[in-house]
Amino acid sequence: MSRLAKIVHLSKEGSSKEDRDTEFHSEITSYWSLQQEPSHQNIILLDRPQSASTLFALSDPRINHPSGQETIWLASAPSALKKHYARLTGRSPDIRAAETPGFFLKLKDYPEVRIPQPDHVLPWLEPHLHSDDATQLMTWFEGKGSLIDRWIVLELPGDNGAPFYCLNVRGHGILPNRGARFNLRSARRRPAIAVRHPPARLRTSTLNLLDRSEILSRDPNGAIRELENSRVVCIGVGSLGGGVALQLARSGVGHLTLIDHDKLVAANLGRHVLGTDDLGKNKANALRNRILRDMSTAEVSAYPTFAEVVLHKKPEVFEQADLVVITTADWLSEDTFWRAKSDGSNWAFLQAWSEPHAQVGHALIAPGGSFDARHLFTENGDFRHKFTEWPTGRGRIALPACGESFIPGSSMGMMNIVSMVAQAALNTLTGHINESTWVSSINRPQDLSGLNGKYVGPPLSSGMRQAQLERGWPEQT
C-alpha cells in the first residue's frame, strides 16, 4: 500500500517531474511488461555486445519434436553460438548461414513509458539512439521484414551492467503463438527478395544474459573477480568431491579439472549431484558435462582415470593448478599427493573426508610450498584425531567386490560437509587461508548414539547442534 501511495503521490498535480522521471526510469521495464503480452519463447543472449549490432540466432538443437516455443540463442557472432552448441551437446556444429533476426541497441536516454503500436516501434526508439545506431537499426529492420519473428534487445542507459529489455516484433502468421525456428543454415531459406510486411504484434520476451557479471551478480563479493583465472584440480568427484566441484563452479572458479575413474551407480543417487540420466557413465565425464551445461562461465576438463596416472603422464595439469582438492578417502592416493606436496609443490593442497554417517567432516589445508600431513594418519590412513568412534564394521561398509567399500552417510549430512569444504577451498584461493589449517564440521553429535556410535570430539555448548571449527593442524603425537 505504501508503494501504491508513492505512485499516486507522484501522479498528483504539482508533483516533482524529476522525482516522477526517476521513479519511472527505475521501474520502466516493469511498466513496459505490464502493457505487453509475453512471448512463449525464451531468449538467451550468449554475450553482451559493446555496441549496436545484429544478433545471430540458433534454436536449441536438443529439442527433437519442435513445438514453436523452443528457446532461442542470440549472439553477436556465430562463434559464440558454435561454442555454446558444443558445450551443451558435445558436438561441434558447422554454422554456414545463421539467420540474424535480432538487433542489439544501447539507449542513450529513456523512451516513453507507454509502449507504441507495432508499426510505430521505430519512431518510438529512434530519438533515443545515437544516429549511427539508428541507421543500422533501420537497415536491419527493412531487410528482415519477411521474418515472422524478430527481436530488438535494448540495453537501458547506464553503465556496463545496465538492465536489458527484449521486444518481440511479430509478423503475420497463421499460428499467432508459434515462434520461428532457426537452424544452422536458416538464412539460406529466405527469399531472394525480402518481403517487407509491417509488424503485426509487439510483445515482450523473457531474456537471460549468459554473462559472468550477470550470472554471479547475486553475490557482490569482490572475491569473485579473483576466481575467474583460478585453476582447481578435484581428485575424486563422488558424493563429497562432486558437490564441492559444482559449488566451486557456481562460485566463479574459472577452470576445473575433474579426475575420477569410477562410474555412477544407482546406490550413488541418494547423495550425488548427478542423476538418473548419468547412470553407468564415468563420474568425471558426466560431471564435466553437467557443469558445462549449467555454468557457461566455467571451463572444465575431465580425466576418467586414476589421479596418479595423470600426475605421471600429464604433470602440467598439477603444475598449472592453484589448488588441488582430494576427496577420495583412499589412503594410497592421498599418500601419493602428500608426498608430492612435501617436495615443495606450488599448488595449495586440501584433503577432505567424512567420518561415518556424515555427522562429522574434516579438511586439512596446506598452502603453496612444502607441507606434509601424513603424520596425522596411521599407516592405514586412519585419522589420529577423529571425533567419532564406531563398533567394528560400522565405520566402513564392505561391498560384494574385491576391496570395495563405502562410508555411510545421508545426503543432508554430506551437504553440510560439502559446504564446509567448498568454503575452505574458496578461502584458500582468495588468500584468507595462507597457513596450514584444519577445518571440521560437526552436525548433531547427539544423534550418533542412535547409530551405535560415540562422539569423542570437542564438547559443544549447551543447545548447540551444529558447529564449524578452524585452527592449526593437530600437534604431532
Side-chain angles (χ1 to χ4, degrees), residues 32 83 188 201 244 255 267 305 346:
W32 286 344
K83 181 179 179 181
R188 288 186 175 178
R201 302 168 73 187
V244 170
H255 192 284
T305 185
N346 289 328

Side-chain angles (χ1 to χ4, degrees), residues 105-412:
L105 291 166
K106 172 74 174 178
L107 297 172
K108 66 178 183 179
D109 50 43
Y110 291 92
E112 292 296 322
V113 174
R114 185 177 297 277
I115 292 289
Q117 293 299 311
D119 56 348
H120 282 78
V121 65
L122 295 185
W124 178 68
L125 287 173
E126 187 176 4
H128 310 284
L129 304 174
H130 295 286
S131 58
D132 289 346
D133 295 353
T135 300
Q136 291 183 59
L137 173 64
M138 300 298 179
T139 302
W140 168 82
F141 199 85
E142 292 179 3
K144 300 295 176 180
S146 61
L147 293 179
I148 197 71
D149 260 326
R150 286 174 285 176
W151 291 273
I152 301 176
V153 179
L154 305 174
E155 183 178 354
L156 272 59
D159 55 24
N160 291 332
F164 286 174
Y165 190 79
C166 187
L167 293 167
N168 176 214
V169 183
R170 285 280 292 183
H172 292 275
I174 298 175
L175 300 174
N177 289 323
R178 187 177 181 86
R181 183 173 179 84
F182 301 97
N183 299 307
L184 302 178
R185 298 172 181 81
S186 289
R188 288 186 175 178
R189 300 192 179 99
R190 294 186 63 230
I193 300 176
V195 181
R196 296 180 177 87
H197 293 304
R201 302 168 73 187
L202 192 61
R203 306 189 298 188
T204 179
S205 286
T206 300
L207 178 76
N208 286 287
L209 172 63
L210 290 191
D211 175 77
R212 180 180 173 85
S213 60
E214 178 72 13
I215 292 171
L216 302 173
S217 62
R218 297 297 173 92
D219 182 2
N221 188 345
I224 286 178
R225 290 188 294 271
E226 302 177 34
L227 299 173
E228 184 172 3
N229 298 317
S230 296
R231 305 181 72 88
V232 178
V233 177
C234 294
I235 303 172
V237 289
S239 54
L240 176 54
V244 170
L246 187 59
Q247 288 303 316
L248 293 181
R250 292 190 181 280
S251 297
V253 171
H255 192 284
L256 290 165
T257 298
L258 313 178
I259 305 175
D260 200 315
H261 72 285
D262 202 11
K263 292 182 179 180
L264 189 76
V265 298
N268 299 143
L269 295 180
R271 61 183 195 183
H272 204 284
V273 294
L274 296 174
T276 306
D277 288 346
D278 298 308
L279 286 173
K281 298 178 183 178
N282 171 263
K283 292 177 181 177
N285 284 335
L287 185 57
R288 172 188 178 273
N289 294 338
R290 162 79 185 273
I291 295 174
L292 288 177
R293 183 179 67 246
D294 291 355
M295 291 297 298
S296 65
T297 58
E299 296 297 329
V300 190
S301 302
Y303 292 91
T305 185
F306 294 93
E308 294 88 336
V309 174
V310 182
L311 181 65
H312 176 67
K313 293 187 175 182
K314 289 187 171 292
E316 66 275 10
V317 169
F318 295 92
E319 292 168 358
Q320 297 169 1
D322 298 299
L323 174 65
V324 175
V325 178
I326 188 167
T327 56
T328 59
D330 173 22
W331 181 242
L332 291 177
S333 183
E334 293 163 339
D335 178 76
T336 296
F337 283 90
W338 277 119
R339 288 179 187 275
K341 184 61 182 164
S342 68
D343 289 337
S345 300
N346 289 328
W347 35 269
F349 189 50
L350 189 158
Q351 177 190 353
W353 68 97
S354 162
E355 292 197 22
H357 293 279
Q359 303 294 112
V360 172
H362 301 282
L364 292 174
I365 304 108
S370 298
F371 290 87
D372 193 344
R374 286 177 292 171
H375 63 277
L376 301 177
F377 299 85
T378 68
E379 61 181 11
N380 294 323
D382 292 331
F383 190 48
R384 298 182 187 276
H385 304 273
K386 57 189 177 182
F387 289 1
T388 62
E389 290 182 350
W390 301 89
T392 303
R394 294 294 295 171
R396 185 178 285 270
I397 298 178
L399 291 170
C402 182
E404 293 189 12
S405 61
F406 70 92
I407 298 174
S410 68
S411 175
M412 291 303 297

Side-chain angles (χ1 to χ4, degrees), residues 71-92:
T71 293
I72 304 294
W73 305 336
L74 296 179
S76 58
S79 58
L81 295 175
K82 184 175 181 178
K83 181 179 179 181
H84 193 63
Y85 187 110
R87 287 180 72 96
L88 295 189
T89 68
R91 305 187 305 272
S92 182

Side-chain angles (χ1 to χ4, degrees), residues 429-463:
L429 290 169
T430 54
H432 291 92
I433 292 180
N434 51 22
E435 57 186 4
S436 56
T437 302
W438 175 25
V439 184
S440 300
S441 171
I442 307 167
N443 182 49
R444 296 189 62 84
Q446 66 273 19
D447 292 349
L448 294 173
S449 59
L451 297 168
N452 296 320
K454 181 180 180 182
Y455 180 73
V456 294
L460 301 184
S461 301
S462 177

